[in-house]
């Protein structure tokens, strides 16, 4: 691990000179005040300013930058829009940040074969905007889709509202052009869904930048459904809403999306968006999107309404026209932002549980809220059990962050206990790496490290992420707390 002292002793002048030869002076950021922009990602509680940030525009430039980093044994990591919530793009001491925000070209649109080739800095929603006029769309849709980048989605294997029926990012990536950790340019996958040989594309998607940097991504796009309907059901109990979720899936209905929000989230969203379409007195609401052929949607709409009412739904609102559907989804998409109006700070987790465990786990989360004294808002992908508990706190109070992290850790352990996972789409990053041993055995973790070693033998690509170093969360928290310093002036 590179220490702050060793980083200060590094002679950056020749390294920066070589960067500038590749990128020009405007492509290299070294002024302290400009580097503040890059000192954290969406996990804003932890900050570390990079020593240098570079702004490549092509695959070849990324490769040259990585080769220079290898030459001088400088750690590096990629950053897209910086919306990640697990600290995956958190700079490490003495690192070079490779920012892909200028790599935002849509390189090829092939509607006949339903694929699009993009650079990593392309914003998620741009893909759908590009092809929607021809009746296509890109399915993975994180809540941050209007600002998050495709490169970041690939790194974290992002999901979204429609991942229940259509899958997460890995199900929509056909091929990748990748700069490996030693600067080689390789092609993984191809132009079709299934390729012979090892599934290296599958290994790379979700590897959080520890195996290299994707510089071109071939995405699968889908034909828009003939008919779409969004239903909003409100309930007087979380348990009833959870039972409706299980019954809908048990009935053989796979909605395009199925999301749940609790009362705290409902009111936060209404306070911010003022849409007046979410009932403020509901204990929970369920948003269900049904898509497909018109006859199929009509039949499933009636079945979903009956299931919700049989489980105690007070009202079920139906929206078929695009404007009203968008309005119903707007609140769900705004939930994280709205939580910022409830408290000075919030800490979000990303555990996954079996659907049948929803009532039990949500009650346990409420028990943790009472035990630790923090309000917790719940908004999540109910269909696939991907929870996003938002723990509200005030980071200006000394010691609060550490306590909130403990609450978050208890939630993750609870998810594993009931047969779930510590992450569904946000990744492990720097935030959850110390909980990996709760889910994986030593042999599991060692096997993963062998894979990392093949691609990243020097350990320079996004070091100190995913794997537990140190092994306990207490040690990790202390290490990160001690790391809260500003880089000294070097230039």
């Amino acid at each position: 691990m590179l220490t702050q002292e060793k980083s200060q002793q590094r002679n950056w002048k020749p390294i920066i000179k070589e960067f500038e030869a590749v990128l020009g002076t405007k492509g290299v950021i070294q002024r302290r005040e400009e580097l503040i922009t890059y000192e954290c990602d969406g996990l804003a509680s932890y900050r570390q300013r990079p020593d240098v940030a570079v702004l490549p525009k092509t695959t070849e430039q990324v490769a040259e930058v990585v080769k220079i980093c290898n030459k001088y044994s400088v750690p590096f990591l990629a950053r897209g829009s910086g919306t990640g919530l697990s600290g995956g793009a958190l700079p490490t001491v003495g690192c070079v940040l490779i920012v892909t925000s200028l790599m935002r070209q849509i390189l090829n649109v092939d509607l006949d074969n339903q694929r699009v080739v993009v650079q990593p800095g392309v914003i998620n929603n741009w893909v759908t905007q590009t092809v929607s006029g021809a009746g296509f769309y890109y399915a993975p849709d994180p809540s941050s889709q209007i600002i998050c980048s495709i490169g970041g989605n690939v790194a974290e294997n992002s999901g979204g509202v429609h991942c229940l029926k259509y899958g997460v990012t890995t199900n929509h990536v056909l091929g990748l052009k990748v700069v490996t950790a030693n600067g080689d340019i390789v092609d993984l996958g191809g132009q079709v869904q299934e390729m012979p040989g090892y599934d290296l594309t599958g290994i790379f998607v979700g590897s959080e930048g520890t195996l290299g940097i994707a510089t071109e991504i071939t995405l699968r796009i889908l034909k828009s459904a003939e008919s779409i309907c969004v239903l909003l059901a409100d309930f007087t109990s979380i348990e009833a809403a959870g039972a409706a979720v299980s019954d809908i899936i048990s009935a053989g209905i796979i909605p395009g999306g199925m999301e749940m929000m609790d009362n705290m989230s409902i009111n936060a969203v209404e306070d911010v968006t003022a849409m007046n379409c979410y009932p403020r007195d509901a204990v929970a609401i369920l948003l269900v999107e049904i898509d497909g052929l018109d006859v199929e949607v009509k039949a499933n709409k009636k079945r979903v309404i009956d299931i919700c009412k049989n489980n105690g739904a007070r009202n079920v609102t139906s929206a078929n026209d695009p404007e009203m559907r968008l309005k119903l989804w707007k609140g769900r998409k705004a939930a994280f932002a709205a939580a910022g109006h409830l408290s000075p700070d919030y800490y979000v987790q990303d555990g996954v549980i079996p659907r049948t465990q929803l009532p039990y786990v949500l009650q346990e989360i409420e028990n943790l809220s009472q035990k630790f004294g923090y309000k917790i808002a719940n908004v999540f992908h109910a269909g696939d059990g991907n929870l996003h508990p938002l723990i509200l706190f005030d980071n200006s109070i000394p010691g609060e962050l550490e306590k909130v992290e403990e609450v978050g850790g208890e939630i993750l352990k609870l998810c594993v206990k009931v047969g779930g996972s510590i992450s569904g789409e946000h990744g492990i990053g720097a935030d959850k790496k110390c909980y990996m041993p709760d889910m994986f055995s030593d042999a599991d973790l060692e096997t993963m490290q062998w894979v990392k070693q093949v691609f990243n033998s020097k350990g320079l690509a996004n070091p100190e992420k995913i794997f537990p170093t140190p092994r306990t969360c207490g040690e990790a928290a202390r290490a990160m707390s001690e790391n809260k310093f500003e880089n000294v002036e070097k230039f």
Side-chain angles (χ1 to χ4, degrees), residues 109-115 134 136 221:
V109 177
D110 182 354
L111 297 178
D112 290 337
N113 291 297
Q114 296 187 214
R115 60 195 182 210
F136 293 89
I221 54 174

Side-chain angles (χ1 to χ4, degrees), residues 189-410:
Q191 300 295 309
V192 294
Q193 189 69 35
E194 299 296 334
M195 295 289 288
Y198 295 121
D199 183 15
L200 298 180
T201 305
I203 290 175
F204 191 90
V205 177
S207 62
E208 304 190 30
T210 61
L211 305 184
I213 301 171
T215 57
E216 290 183 18
I217 302 131
T218 302
L219 301 172
R220 180 170 67 103
I221 54 174
L222 303 179
K223 190 71 175 174
S224 299
E226 177 181 285
S227 178
I228 303 173
C229 176
V230 176
L231 302 172
L232 187 155
D234 68 273
F235 295 84
T236 57
S237 77
I238 288 276
E239 291 77 14
V245 170
S246 294
D247 286 352
I248 289 169
I249 300 298
S250 297
I253 302 169
I254 307 297
M258 187 155 51
E259 304 286 300
M260 192 187 296
M261 297 170 61
D262 68 6
N263 182 262
M264 195 183 307
S265 300
I266 292 167
N267 281 281
V269 164
E270 284 292 346
D271 287 343
V272 171
T273 64
M275 294 184 304
N276 297 316
C277 63
Y278 291 1
R280 286 181 175 270
D281 62 337
V283 174
I285 62 169
L286 192 62
L287 283 163
V288 185
E289 181 171 289
I290 308 165
D291 62 355
L293 298 175
D294 186 57
V295 63
E296 176 188 13
V297 170
K298 286 179 179 177
N300 284 336
K301 172 183 173 180
K302 183 181 184 305
R303 294 172 68 197
V304 169
I305 291 174
D306 289 343
I307 290 170
C308 289
K309 288 187 174 179
N310 289 339
N311 280 284
R314 299 183 305 177
N315 300 288
V316 182
T317 302
S318 174
N320 290 85
D321 65 281
E323 185 176 347
M324 189 58 189
R325 295 201 316 262
L326 184 63
K327 186 177 181 180
L328 291 181
W329 278 123
K330 181 180 178 182
R332 169 60 185 91
K333 294 285 187 177
F336 280 18
H341 292 258
L342 295 175
S343 176
D345 300 279
Y346 68 80
Y347 182 79
V348 62
Q349 273 301 356
D350 170 44
V352 182
I353 61 172
R355 285 183 294 268
T356 55
Q357 296 293 329
L358 269 173
Y360 168 72
V361 171
L362 291 174
Q363 182 57 57
E364 287 298 301
I365 289 175
E366 175 59 25
N367 293 341
L368 288 170
S369 173
Q370 297 294 328
K371 176 182 176 181
F372 287 89
Y374 296 103
K375 292 182 178 179
I376 302 177
N378 287 287
V379 52
F380 52 93
H381 307 311
D384 58 350
N386 188 186
L387 305 181
H388 294 314
L390 299 156
I391 309 167
L392 310 180
F393 74 110
D394 186 349
N395 199 23
S396 66
I397 302 174
E400 287 291 280
L401 176 59
E402 287 74 15
K403 293 178 183 177
V404 165
E405 286 182 316
E406 184 180 354
V407 179
E410 291 299 315

Side-chain angles (χ1 to χ4, degrees), residues 71-87:
K71 176 181 176 180
Y72 292 96
S73 297
V74 176
F76 61 89
L77 62 147
R79 173 194 167 102
S81 297
T83 60
L85 293 166
S86 64

